């Protein structure tokens, strides 16, 4: 503070000043330090807005490995149906800030959104980059699932078995559980038991988390 004010620095404080300058210089050149301070300021403001305390990123965001098509479809549907479950939207296509709304808008023009990973059809030998489902099959499944969630018609999917559920070999009652409670059900990697085993071996994990629920719900 004395230095910033232009005051004369006594000799006995000069060594301390030079050490402080060196620390500041190293921090200003360190991108990791910059990101830490940036994240800290964002977290503090967000916690103040939410009137809560604690770890910002760990409490609000998490990353899960989706190891096969069944896990991918279930997680996508869970996210796309968030507004319907929360009674914020009556239908998936009318919900805000969801990919399914953008896909429906583009589908009406016989296109797919350029900013989203496209649906490229069922798996085949020469597979381009994209989601391994038919777009119409996914939209049909979201539509039927949204009706069940909104109107509590648990048997509705049984009467209109979607092609995607048949392909993924997921029972309708299990699908409804997945689309309603995916976040609560799984912590960590999600997939059938065989791919979970391969994943744990690759990561050097001794325990296969979620294996019982995956075996029960994804088949």
């Amino acid at each position: 503070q004395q230095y910033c004010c232009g005051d004369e620095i006594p000799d006995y404080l000069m060594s301390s000043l030079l050490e402080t300058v060196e620390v500041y210089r190293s921090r200003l050149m360190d991108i990791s330090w910059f990101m830490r301070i940036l994240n800290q300021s964002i977290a503090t403001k967000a916690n103040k807005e939410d009137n809560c305390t604690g770890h910002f990123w760990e409490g609000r965001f998490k990353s899960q490995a989706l190891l096969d098509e069944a896990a991918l479809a279930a997680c996508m549907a869970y996210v796309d149906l968030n507004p319907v479950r929360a009674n914020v939207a009556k239908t998936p296509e009318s919900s805000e800030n969801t990919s399914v709304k953008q896909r429906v808008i583009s589908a009406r023009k016989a296109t797919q959104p350029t900013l989203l990973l496209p649906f490229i059809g069922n798996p085949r030998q020469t597979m381009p980059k994209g989601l391994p489902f038919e777009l119409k099959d996914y939209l049909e499944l979201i539509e039927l699932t949204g009706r069940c969630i909104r109107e509590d018609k648990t048997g509705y999917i049984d009467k209109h078995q979607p092609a995607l559920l048949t392909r993924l070999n997921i029972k309708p009652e299990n699908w409804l559980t997945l689309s309603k409670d995916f976040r609560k059900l799984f912590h960590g990697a999600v997939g059938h038991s065989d791919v979970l085993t391969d994943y744990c071996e690759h990561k050097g994990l001794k325990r296969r988390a979620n294996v019982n629920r995956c075996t029960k719900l994804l088949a």
Side-chain angles (χ1 to χ4, degrees), residues 1-14 17:
Q1 290 178 358
Q2 288 176 288
Y3 176 80
C4 291
C5 292
D7 297 340
E8 184 177 351
I9 309 298
D11 292 340
Y12 69 90
L13 288 179
M14 185 58 68
L17 171 64

Side-chain angles (χ1 to χ4, degrees), residues 40-59:
Q40 183 182 24
S41 62
I42 294 173
T44 301
K45 292 178 181 178
N47 284 340
K48 186 177 181 180
E49 289 179 0
D50 294 344
N51 193 27
C52 67
T53 59
H55 297 289
F56 176 75
W57 303 110
E58 291 84 348

Side-chain angles (χ1 to χ4, degrees), residues 15 46 54 64-65 74 78 106 108 114 120 125 169 194 196 208:
S15 59
Q64 286 182 281
Y78 174 81
S106 296
R108 289 170 178 164
T114 56
I120 44 88
Q125 189 170 5
N169 193 31
D194 53 344
L196 265 178
R208 295 181 302 171

Side-chain angles (χ1 to χ4, degrees), residues 185-206:
L185 290 168
F186 303 111
H187 301 279
V190 184
H192 287 86
S193 58
D194 53 344
V195 291
L196 265 178
T197 299
D198 294 341
Y199 175 82
C200 291
E201 289 178 355
H202 176 70
K203 289 291 186 178
L205 304 176
K206 297 181 179 180

